[in-house]
Amino acid sequence: MPAYFNLQGSVRKAPHSPSRDTTRQRIKFSDDRVCKSHLLNCCPHDVLSGTRMDLGECLKVHDLALRADYEIASKEQDFFFELDAMDHLQSFIADCDRRTEVAKKRLAETQEEISAEVAAKAERVHELNEEIGKLLAKVEQLGAEGNVEESQKVMDEVEKARAKKREAEEVYRNSMPASSFQQQKLRVCEVCSAYLGLHDNDRRLADHFGGKLHLGFIEIREKLEELKRVVAEKQEKRNQERLKRREEREREEREKLRRSRSHSKNPKRSRSREHRRHRSRSMSRERKRRTRSKSREKRHRHRSRSSSRSRSRSHQRSRHSSRDRSRERSKRRSSKERFRDQDLASRDRDRSSRDRSPRDRDRKDKKRSYESANGRSEDRRSSEEREAGEI
């Protein structure tokens, strides 16, 4: 695709080059290659296109589809592209202001110096010329829109401004010689840095102030002021949010520090808490041990009672059996002694009956019976004493 030169001599690519179309298809509006001023509809390359100060094609990508995508996405998320656009417009306006200052210096060198009073009168004439030009441009715009009544009112204001201009020019002409008056005829426009004549007619003034160049610079400057305001508001909002987050972090840190200090200042509390926890744990363990010991004691008591009962029963049984045995023994002994005594007594009676008289026999029998009776009682006592000792 052939290249062509713009008014300033820089090379421009054809607007429909295939490489540029493929690049637009690949990128998104958030890409660094996309012009952020174009997304916000304030790129100087677009605004001043076709004017005497045409800047040519922008080095970054311009695409209306990307602008539409950005407008849709910006409703849900803030991309903060205003900062990039503000920087772009600031650099452009700074260049324009530098050109204006250079033009003023050039005029000051070529034209004769005048006093401050005469310069103020000339400035008044230029101000009235600017006012007349703006009003005429507005009249043309209203006429194109078909608003005849408003355009007629603006024309009445134009006539009043023209009358004021004639009076100011008369004052200015009388304040300086004719030769100097003819030389002081140029002035640099503060908006678009174009040259204006002191004695320009209404048609030329209308063309300048209503032209695309002057209106384009007005649009760029107004957009720059708006971007400055928006960026300042967003930066202030971000700073407040950042400050709020910082305060929250500092508050959390202070709270943590206060808690740590409170723990360090009151170690008794922490010790008491630990002691309580340890005590509760030990108490629970002690309770478990007590319940276990109680259960064991109950079992032991039950077993001991049963064993003692069985022992007592066995002891009683043994006592009863020993008593019975002793009684049997005593009975056996008494019966044996009785039989033995009876045998002895019978033998003695037989002997006495043989040897003595009947009378003596009777005495002896009584004596023997008495002794046997005494022996039986003694035997009974001794047996009872033995039983009591055994018990």
Side-chain angles (χ1 to χ4, degrees), residues 42-50 54-59 62 88:
C42 61
C43 182
H45 295 266
D46 295 336
V47 176
L48 301 178
S49 177
D54 191 349
L55 303 175
E57 190 174 0
C58 185
L59 298 176
H62 284 208
H88 186 196

Side-chain angles (χ1 to χ4, degrees), residues 279-302:
R279 189 176 179 182
S280 62
R281 291 175 183 174
S282 61
M283 289 177 69
S284 62
R285 291 175 183 173
E286 188 67 24
R287 287 174 185 172
K288 291 181 181 178
R289 290 177 183 175
R290 287 179 182 176
T291 52
R292 290 176 183 175
S293 62
K294 286 180 181 179
S295 61
R296 289 176 183 175
E297 288 178 358
K298 286 181 181 179
R299 292 176 185 173
H300 183 69
R301 287 176 184 174
H302 182 70

Side-chain angles (χ1 to χ4, degrees), residues 41 61 74 376:
N41 195 20
V61 178
S74 61
R376 289 172 190 169

Side-chain angles (χ1 to χ4, degrees), residues 79-135:
F79 296 95
F80 207 61
F81 289 162
E82 290 84 0
L83 183 61
D84 297 334
M86 185 186 71
D87 294 338
H88 186 196
L89 296 185
Q90 274 184 338
S91 62
F92 175 75
I93 294 298
D95 292 338
C96 182
D97 293 339
R98 282 193 296 270
R99 287 195 299 268
T100 303
E101 294 297 326
V102 170
K104 286 181 178 180
K105 289 180 180 180
R106 190 177 299 166
L107 288 177
E109 292 175 356
T110 57
Q111 297 178 357
E112 295 180 1
E113 295 183 0
I114 58 175
S115 63
E117 183 180 358
V118 176
K121 294 177 180 179
E123 186 66 25
R124 177 58 182 166
V125 175
H126 284 295
E127 290 177 358
L128 291 171
N129 283 335
E130 185 175 352
E131 183 180 356
I132 291 169
K134 290 179 180 179
L135 292 173

